[in-house]
Amino acid sequence: MATSVAGEGQPEVNGITYEPLAKKLTDLPTELLEHILCFPVLQDVDICNVSCCCKRLHDVCHGRGKVWGHQYKIRWPKLQRFYRQNECCDWLREYRTRHRVGIQIRRTVDSISKRFFTEVPCIGQVLGDSFAEIESLGMPEHFCEDELLFILNTDKRKSLTLKYYAKKILYFLRQQNILKSLKSFLLRPAEQQSALEGAVLVDQYCNPLSDVSLSSVSGQLDEIVEKVRRMLSIKNPSHPSLRVTQGECFTVEDLELQRQVVYSLNSVLYEQLQYKGNEFDYYNPLNSYIHQVLQRRTGIPISLSVLYMTLARRLGVQLEPVNFPNHFLLRWSEDIYDFVYIDAFGKGKQLTAKECEYLIGHQVTADYYSAINTTEVLLRMVGNLLNIGKRGEGNEKSYQLLRDSLDLYLTINPDNVQYLLLQARLYFHLGIWPEKVGMRTNLFFAVKRTPDSFGASLSRSCFVLGPQVLDILQHIQALDPSQHGAVGYLVQHTLEHIQHKKHPATPEEKRRSAPEHLEVQYAVGLIMKHKRSGYNCVIYGWDPKCTMSLEWITTMRVNQLPNGPNQPFYNVLVQDGTCRYAAQENLEPHSAPLEIGHPEVGRYFSEFADTHYAANEELQARYPEDTEETLRAVQELYHILSEGSAAQDQAPATDQSSQQALPM
């Protein structure tokens, strides 16, 4: 192969002239430089350093270019759904903004424990100040949520306190957005409100950390509709429902064709897919959440009715919701003179008006057979959740459900005095006070004045409670003047609480070495087993003697214990989600320590260390000598178990030699 040099030093091969090879990196084409700078091994710091080398590389790494776009996408891939494909964007600015939001979110979340830590769990406490800080950032909300999700998805055994508060903030932020969507939904004309969309909003508000969306729920219903259509095509290949495109609104006018739809729907829903009413666990809140109804294929009358009604309408049969007492129904105009009532809970059984009364065991007036609108459907649905919350066991989940359902109910019907009072009493019980609650929703705080002094009481209180709370109290008084006693009583106690907050008590520090604490055997962070009840738990606090009331001691039969109440008692978080107060003689270290799946673990502990939980800084400050004791106890337990294991390994040989020594 002959090579010669032509002209300005350009190489020539077999008569063909080629451009000279680049002698340095900056001579490469822009596209190739971008490709190199998008290698996965390069991070943001590397790109910054490269862009500082020279003007050529600085221009290649410009903010709207491919390089910073790639850095943004590989670091925060879940944020890509907020941008259009091939969108021209200042990726460097987006990167800096998202980075700053991440730093601020972590700083805020990390500081919460120091400001809001309490030894006894204040179930449902709202961290209003922290929410305000995040909202005041003025940054895109999806950036805040993305950082909170990143915190939650890191190593599940570490940074437990950070995750605990990140989860609470994410819960709140999502609920605020859902509440805005619900308010917009309620402002629409009645004909534009679908019961399915309303049910999804209720579901989302009560489960803000779950992946629930109208599109996903609607997609699952479309799959059921297709199954019904296949069933219809067998019975009537020319049925008009088979010719309708997805999303098209239409009505089948012929009654016989409507019957075919209803019978096919019943066959698919109850026979093929095995949907049924949940008679055995009726008061489980999951029965009211539409995504859980679809997943578990069971529900209560109202949730199954919303599902059934939506499916029927997509197939051209218009059913109407009926707010029948104790058992939600649908009505269908099967003939021109009367209605047939459909029991979606009872596998689509069709009932006459008289049979509906047999269903509940008593007669009702004609009003109960009338159709209701979507808003009334939602009130019935939320009312069911509210009643389930009231029936709860007084744990974190039942209080949360009660709070969420009250928020929803008062968003839909803000003038219900009964539920406003219930909400006030609940928030007082949970220790959520006006300076925090005022940010969350329309709350008020209640409790006792005489009628003559009530107006003056409100006027004096406005300087402390602020105009928003004053407006709410005045609103309650205007709705029902007879409630002045309850409202005044709450005002009084609110003022007392605010005064008390000005002089907060210093948290008690408990040292094991103190003479009165010498009988305390166990330390915070140890994983224990209850000798009698068998539950697994972790200790988050202790007292040298039982500090509960005489009534509690009598109810729990503490005096029947060998050591009675005059022994150490421990605050424990139990695997089943409850918090208990256990006597020392009833506890023993767990022989095989395991994680305790309690929602409050992160409030007290920073890490699960395989054998125990490591107390966070706030809990360590309360029990400064317990960390060392916890480590000592774990090592001692490990030593005992190791010796026992070694003895068991030797046992078979000893038994064998003994057997050989026995006479035959």
Side-chain angles (χ1 to χ4, degrees):
M1 183 181 295
T3 303
S4 62
V5 177
E8 298 291 331
Q10 296 172 323
E12 184 178 294
V13 180
N14 292 337
I16 302 173
T17 302
Y18 292 89
E19 292 294 325
L21 296 175
K23 296 180 180 179
K24 52 187 178 180
L25 182 67
T26 51
D27 291 339
L28 294 175
T30 299
E31 292 80 1
L32 185 54
L33 283 173
E34 288 178 335
H35 182 73
I36 293 171
L37 293 174
C38 287
F39 277 17
V41 294
L42 296 177
Q43 298 181 357
D44 52 359
V45 176
D46 302 314
I47 302 304
C48 289
N49 291 335
V50 167
S51 66
C52 293
C53 292
C54 63
K55 185 177 184 305
R56 166 72 171 141
L57 292 176
H58 182 272
D59 292 342
V60 172
C61 298
H62 66 90
R64 293 183 175 275
K66 181 179 178 181
V67 177
W68 278 110
H70 177 75
Q71 283 293 322
Y72 185 86
K73 290 169 186 175
I74 60 173
R75 181 161 181 185
W76 298 294
K78 293 183 179 179
L79 292 176
Q80 297 314 301
R81 62 192 176 93
F82 294 99
Y83 303 93
R84 294 187 300 273
Q85 192 172 9
N86 300 322
E87 179 179 358
C88 183
C89 180
D90 190 336
W91 294 110
L92 179 56
R93 185 182 63 187
E94 293 288 290
Y95 194 99
R96 286 171 174 164
T97 303
R98 172 62 183 84
H99 183 68
R100 284 197 300 270
V101 169
I103 292 172
Q104 185 60 47
I105 288 287
R106 282 183 170 269
R107 186 179 297 146
T108 299
V109 176
D110 194 44
S111 70
I112 293 176
S113 184
K114 297 178 178 60
R115 290 182 285 159
F116 295 98
F117 178 82
T118 54
E119 183 174 321
V120 178
C122 178
I123 299 172
Q125 180 181 12
V126 177
L127 311 177
D129 296 344
S130 300
F131 299 146
E133 287 177 22
I134 290 176
E135 290 175 340
S136 68
L137 291 176
M139 299 295 186
E141 195 169 284
H142 57 279
F143 283 2
C144 300
E145 181 170 317
D146 189 64
E147 182 62 29
L148 292 168
L149 285 170
F150 181 80
I151 292 171
L152 291 174
N153 292 329
T154 51
D155 187 347
K156 69 176 223 172
R157 294 186 169 193
K158 297 183 182 296
S159 304
L160 300 181
T161 301
L162 192 69
K163 291 175 185 173
Y164 174 81
Y165 290 105
K167 185 175 181 179
K168 283 192 173 292
I169 292 173
L170 182 61
Y171 195 101
F172 171 81
L173 291 176
R174 286 190 173 179
Q175 279 195 327
Q176 292 301 96
N177 286 331
I178 297 162
L179 216 53
K180 290 176 186 175
S181 299
L182 177 59
K183 289 175 181 178
S184 298
F185 174 84
L186 294 170
L187 290 174
R188 295 184 206 162
E191 62 273 11
Q192 295 180 20
Q193 295 177 347
S194 104
L196 179 68
E197 185 177 354
V200 169
L201 287 167
V202 170
D203 189 345
Q204 289 174 327
Y205 192 82
C206 294
N207 303 282
L209 301 182
S210 299
D211 186 16
V212 182
S213 67
L214 179 60
S215 60
S216 64
V217 169
S218 187
Q220 292 177 71
L221 264 60
D222 286 338
E223 293 175 6
I224 298 175
V225 167
E226 286 306 310
K227 293 180 187 295
V228 177
R229 282 179 175 153
R230 284 198 289 271
M231 178 75 71
L232 267 174
S233 66
I234 297 172
K235 296 182 178 181
N236 183 358
S238 61
H239 197 285
S241 295
L242 304 177
R243 299 191 296 271
V244 177
T245 58
Q246 193 175 37
E248 181 181 345
C249 294
F250 76 107
T251 300
V252 174
E253 300 293 345
D254 184 81
L255 287 174
E256 180 55 34
L257 294 176
Q258 287 189 29
R259 290 190 190 97
Q260 292 175 10
V261 169
V262 171
Y263 294 145
S264 297
L265 177 55
N266 286 345
S267 178
V268 169
L269 203 59
Y270 300 111
E271 295 175 19
Q272 184 178 334
L273 298 178
Q274 295 290 301
Y275 276 80
K276 60 184 177 181
N278 195 342
E279 297 178 351
F280 301 104
D281 193 14
Y282 191 88
Y283 293 102
N284 188 331
L286 298 183
N287 295 326
S288 296
Y289 304 141
I290 200 71
H291 86 283
Q292 289 287 353
V293 173
L294 288 167
Q295 182 177 317
R296 300 160 70 238
R297 300 189 181 185
T298 187
I300 54 176
I302 190 167
S303 57
L304 290 171
S305 292
V306 169
L307 176 65
Y308 194 105
M309 178 174 63
T310 305
L311 292 169
R313 287 183 177 179
R314 292 188 182 188
L315 292 160
V317 178
Q318 303 301 313
L319 303 180
E320 298 175 303
V322 176
N323 202 14
F324 204 68
N326 303 326
H327 200 106
F328 200 86
L329 296 170
L330 299 169
R331 77 177 191 182
W332 170 35
S333 181
E334 192 186 37
D335 63 61
I336 60 175
Y337 301 109
D338 202 1
F339 290 102
V340 169
Y341 299 89
I342 295 178
D343 180 12
F345 186 82
K347 297 187 176 181
K349 185 178 180 180
Q350 296 175 21
L351 307 169
T352 63
K354 184 58 67 177
E355 287 172 329
C356 292
E357 293 179 349
Y358 291 151
L359 191 67
I360 61 173
H362 60 84
Q363 292 183 335
V364 296
T365 61
D367 293 343
Y368 286 106
Y369 291 98
S370 301
I372 59 173
N373 59 32
T374 300
T375 300
E376 292 170 301
V377 172
L378 295 187
L379 282 175
R380 174 78 174 255
M381 182 174 282
V382 174
N384 286 338
L385 288 169
L386 218 161
N387 289 329
I388 294 170
K390 285 195 248 181
R391 292 168 58 97
E393 301 175 354
N395 56 22
E396 171 79 18
K397 287 184 179 179
S398 62
Y399 280 128
Q400 188 65 59
L401 177 60
L402 189 54
R403 286 181 55 203
D404 291 345
S405 53
L406 278 169
D407 282 351
L408 287 168
Y409 199 99
L410 292 171
T411 298
I412 302 169
N413 183 13
D415 293 340
N416 188 301
V417 174
Q418 175 191 354
Y419 286 140
L420 283 169
L421 284 170
L422 175 60
Q423 189 175 50
R425 290 174 181 134
L426 172 67
Y427 275 60
F428 266 85
H429 174 72
L430 298 179
I432 302 170
W433 303 96
E435 58 270 34
K436 294 176 183 178
V437 175
M439 299 173 49
R440 181 177 173 83
T441 183
N442 288 339
L443 304 175
F444 71 98
F445 307 88
V447 183
K448 183 171 182 185
R449 295 277 185 196
T450 62
D452 294 338
S453 64
F454 183 70
S457 162
L458 281 182
S459 299
R460 289 194 299 270
S461 300
C462 70
F463 297 105
V464 181
L465 301 182
Q468 183 179 10
V469 176
L470 177 61
D471 289 344
I472 296 166
L473 291 171
Q474 289 175 333
H475 178 56
I476 295 298
Q477 182 68 6
L479 289 172
D480 187 357
S482 68
Q483 298 297 334
H484 60 77
V487 174
Y489 177 69
L490 285 174
V491 170
Q492 178 184 353
H493 278 65
T494 300
L495 296 173
E496 290 173 359
H497 167 74
I498 293 174
Q499 281 297 118
H500 179 72
K501 278 195 68 177
K502 293 179 180 178
H503 310 285
T506 304
E508 180 185 3
E509 184 183 89
K510 295 182 179 179
R511 292 186 175 272
R512 308 180 65 82
S513 57
E516 65 272 21
H517 298 157
L518 295 180
E519 293 183 10
V520 178
Q521 294 181 11
Y522 306 125
V524 296
L526 286 177
I527 298 168
M528 312 296 287
K529 188 177 186 69
H530 197 277
K531 295 177 183 177
R532 298 189 179 196
S533 303
Y535 61 72
N536 304 318
C537 59
V538 57
I539 297 172
Y540 70 91
W542 50 257
D543 297 308
K545 308 291 180 188
C546 181
T547 60
M548 301 299 281
S549 66
L550 181 60
E551 181 183 0
W552 185 90
I553 290 172
T554 303
T555 303
M556 302 304 293
R557 295 179 290 181
V558 173
N559 287 317
Q560 296 181 19
L561 295 172
N563 296 319
N566 296 315
Q567 61 175 310
F569 270 70
Y570 297 85
N571 300 106
V572 295
L573 301 175
V574 184
Q575 186 80 39
D576 64 4
T578 59
C579 303
R580 304 193 188 185
Y581 196 50
Q584 180 166 279
E585 66 182 73
N586 283 338
L587 294 175
E588 61 182 358
H590 203 292
S591 58
L594 72 169
E595 285 187 84
I596 303 299
H598 193 287
E600 295 293 309
V601 161
R603 184 191 291 271
Y604 305 102
F605 304 104
S606 60
E607 179 182 350
F608 175 64
D610 293 324
T611 56
H612 65 284
Y613 277 91
N616 60 22
E617 292 180 12
E618 290 67 45
L619 193 61
Q620 287 184 44
R622 295 285 180 91
Y623 300 91
E625 297 174 350
D626 271 39
T627 299
E628 184 178 343
E629 174 61 22
T630 300
L631 294 174
R632 187 202 63 76
V634 166
Q635 290 173 357
E636 181 179 328
L637 177 63
Y638 179 76
H639 180 67
I640 293 172
L641 293 175
S642 298
E643 286 185 343
S645 177
Q648 287 180 356
D649 291 340
Q650 295 175 0
T654 304
D655 293 343
Q656 186 177 8
S657 61
S658 299
Q659 290 172 2
Q660 290 175 350
L662 291 173
M664 297 300 291

